[in-house]
Amino acid sequence: MRYTYTPKGICPRSFDIDIEDGKLNNLTIHGGCQGNTKGIELLCKGRSVEELITILDGIQCGNKGTSCPDQISKALKQALNNL
């Protein structure tokens, strides 16, 4: 399943997410700090969606109230709800 998510409160403009058999097959982050986003993409690839939600949910970036990882967890939750 391919899913596109528009994050809120962070630098990236959108996430493209591919989920297969409960695992994150591919994550593409559009915008943001390229070094960090490429690292996040690679670290998430192949992991269980449920595991990623647990790991990434609630991570904060400064006083923004969210972060790139937190927004990825929100995107994954929303993608699961749309299955």
Side-chain angles (χ1 to χ4, degrees):
M1 172 191 82
R2 184 168 180 110
Y3 186 75
T4 299
Y5 180 81
T6 302
K8 295 166 185 61
I10 60 170
C11 299
R13 299 178 309 277
S14 65
F15 303 144
D16 289 328
I17 298 167
D18 290 312
I19 298 172
E20 286 184 30
D21 299 324
K23 293 191 177 191
L24 185 68
N25 189 45
N26 193 46
L27 168 64
T28 303
I29 302 171
H30 301 281
C33 178
Q34 188 178 26
N36 289 335
T37 57
K38 292 298 173 199
I40 291 170
E41 289 171 355
L42 291 171
L43 289 168
C44 289
K45 188 174 183 175
R47 286 187 182 241
S48 155
V49 171
E50 294 291 338
E51 174 188 21
L52 287 170
I53 290 170
T54 300
I55 292 169
L56 302 176
D57 187 49
I59 293 175
Q60 302 293 305
C61 181
N63 61 359
K64 291 182 179 183
T66 191
S67 66
C68 292
D70 183 54
Q71 288 293 302
I72 291 167
S73 76
K74 290 179 182 350
L76 293 171
K77 287 177 193 176
Q78 199 169 89
L80 287 180
N81 287 334
N82 288 329
L83 285 177

